[in-house]
Amino acid sequence: MIRILGIETSCDDTAAAVVADGQTILSNIISSQNEFHAKYGGIVPEIASRKHVELILYVIQEALDKASVTAEQLDAIAVTNRPGLVGSLLVGLCAAKSLAYCYQKPLIGINHLLGHVYANFLTHPHLEAPHLSLTVSGGHTLIMRVASPTQYEILGSTVDDAVGEAYDKVAKFLGLGFPGGPIIDNMAKTGNPDAIEFPSPLIHSDDLNFSFSGLKTAVIRYVNDEQAAGREINYPDVVASFQKAAIRVLVKKVISAAKEQRVSTVTLSGGVAANSALRETLIQDAQRAGIAVYYPPLVMCTDNGAMIAGVAYHLYQQGVRSDWHLGAYANLPE
């Protein structure tokens, strides 16, 4: 049995998990910082890194205790080192390096994007490759061709805001709270998605890229114009219409990509994968196209250590090891 500790601190969740053989989750501890960022309407990088410093050792110890494993019994220590907030990444990286050095364990740096993709391999053991992954979160909006648990190719990405970032910014502008994703998802259920025709930028482009800055601006302009005219605003209709416009382009492009790539499976991952309307729309449209859709449970959509440890198992089996010079990167190194 290969037991790996996975550490994830790429953004604002302090997470650690122990996974056996890349498939059996022995523990998966996640400490959320939402309450500390809520009053700012978004993640404050300095606060995030400071909270990681306070929590990281407690979270790691809890992960080990719940898994009934000691550090000496681990086979390797894995840590997210790219992409993400550098201050946050460095906290997890320093903790991982310290443990690996003290207990003489292999250190493996993990690409956060591979972690999100692997959440579906963890949840659906018989998931095959190649398939397409729609990875959507506060920091990423990507369509990837997944060749294996450790190999992927980015086919399309956002040219400005990530879709989750647009959700947060719209929610902040409307005074709804943070994080914006679940708030808008719930409010939209009481609204009319056809009430306002917001644009879906790049929906007719010939590539697989996305843009959500213009959609966010369209919502702001609409609300400002309605207020200036003295008209009452139906906020559930606004968020439902915004959500429809965002989801429309996500689903259209990933289905088109699946047809172009001649793959019959699409996976959904990342924090926005928890969005109920996105799941329902993607499943409906994919079924009509003869495409299967897989997505992880809610706890595996957001950042977690289990997905990091899972990827690490396959890299460990391939002989991949990181040295003490392993760095933290805000973006994927070229």
Side-chain angles (χ1 to χ4, degrees), residues 184 187-194 198 235-245:
I184 287 178
M187 181 179 283
K189 293 174 183 176
T190 64
N192 176 8
D194 298 315
F198 288 128
Y235 287 100
D237 284 356
V238 172
V239 298
S241 299
F242 157 75
Q243 179 163 266
K244 178 184 177 181

Side-chain angles (χ1 to χ4, degrees):
M1 179 186 295
I2 305 298
R3 290 173 291 196
I4 296 179
L5 171 68
I7 299 171
E8 158 61 37
T9 61
S10 65
C11 193
D12 63 324
D13 287 334
T14 310
V18 178
V19 175
D21 296 331
Q23 199 62 54
T24 304
I25 300 175
L26 303 180
S27 65
N28 191 25
I29 309 302
I30 304 170
S31 180
S32 173
Q33 298 181 13
N34 284 346
E35 65 176 293
F36 301 105
H37 301 279
K39 63 181 177 180
Y40 303 105
I43 296 166
V44 182
E46 176 66 16
I47 292 176
S49 56
R50 285 177 179 271
K51 297 308 294 185
H52 285 313
V53 171
E54 294 174 16
L55 296 166
I56 187 67
L57 295 181
Y58 295 103
V59 170
I60 290 173
Q61 189 61 57
E62 186 175 351
L64 293 173
D65 291 344
K66 188 169 183 179
S68 299
V69 172
T70 64
E72 290 89 348
Q73 294 171 319
L74 294 170
D75 292 281
I77 295 171
V79 60
T80 302
N81 78 309
R82 68 200 190 277
L85 301 175
V86 171
S88 293
L89 288 168
L90 284 171
V91 177
L93 190 58
C94 288
K97 284 184 177 181
S98 298
L99 288 170
Y101 181 82
C102 290
Y103 295 99
Q104 292 299 291
K105 301 296 179 181
L107 174 70
I108 304 175
I110 303 296
N111 179 339
H112 181 73
L113 300 182
L114 277 176
H116 276 308
V117 169
Y118 196 80
N120 278 296
F121 283 106
L122 266 175
T123 310
H124 309 287
H126 302 296
L127 178 63
E128 296 181 352
H131 68 258
L132 291 192
S133 171
L134 176 61
T135 300
V136 281
S137 67
H140 307 286
T141 304
L142 301 162
I143 295 177
M144 295 181 279
R145 182 182 174 91
V146 179
S148 75
T150 61
Q151 294 179 309
Y152 70 93
E153 176 189 1
I154 295 177
L155 303 179
S157 61
T158 181
V159 299
D160 43 52
D161 292 352
V163 64
E165 183 180 358
Y167 268 80
D168 287 340
K169 288 180 176 178
V170 167
K172 180 179 180 179
F173 172 74
L174 298 177
L176 301 178
F178 175 85
I183 295 171
I184 287 178
D185 189 20
N186 288 328
M187 181 179 283
K189 293 174 183 176
T190 64
N192 176 8
D194 298 315
I196 308 158
E197 186 60 32
F198 288 128
S200 295
L202 299 187
I203 194 167
H204 298 300
S205 67
D206 294 331
D207 55 34
L208 297 174
N209 291 329
F210 301 95
S211 169
F212 294 99
S213 180
L215 172 57
K216 170 203 67 183
T217 302
V219 174
I220 294 173
R221 183 181 297 116
Y222 171 83
V223 172
N224 286 338
D225 288 348
E226 292 298 293
Q227 289 176 337
R231 290 188 286 266
E232 184 177 351
I233 299 172
N234 185 312
Y235 287 100
D237 284 356
V238 172
V239 298
S241 299
F242 157 75
Q243 179 163 266
K244 178 184 177 181
I247 290 174
R248 179 169 52 201
V249 66
L250 289 171
V251 172
K252 179 182 183 295
K253 291 218 169 187
V254 75
I255 296 297
S256 296
K259 292 176 180 177
E260 290 173 10
Q261 294 289 316
R262 297 181 180 179
V263 298
S264 58
T265 302
V266 168
T267 62
L268 191 58
S269 61
V272 183
N275 184 281
S276 62
L278 174 57
R279 292 186 183 204
E280 292 166 7
T281 305
L282 179 57
I283 290 171
Q284 290 172 2
D285 287 14
Q287 284 179 340
R288 285 195 287 268
I291 297 169
V293 175
Y294 294 91
Y295 51 83
L298 297 184
V299 70
M300 296 299 292
C301 291
T302 54
D303 295 346
N304 64 87
M307 67 186 193
I308 302 306
V311 175
Y313 167 77
H314 294 274
L315 293 173
Y316 179 88
Q317 294 289 70
Q318 294 168 15
V320 175
R321 304 290 187 271
S322 301
D323 60 28
W324 303 122
H325 297 291
L326 181 66
Y329 301 92
N331 301 301
L332 294 173
E334 296 295 332

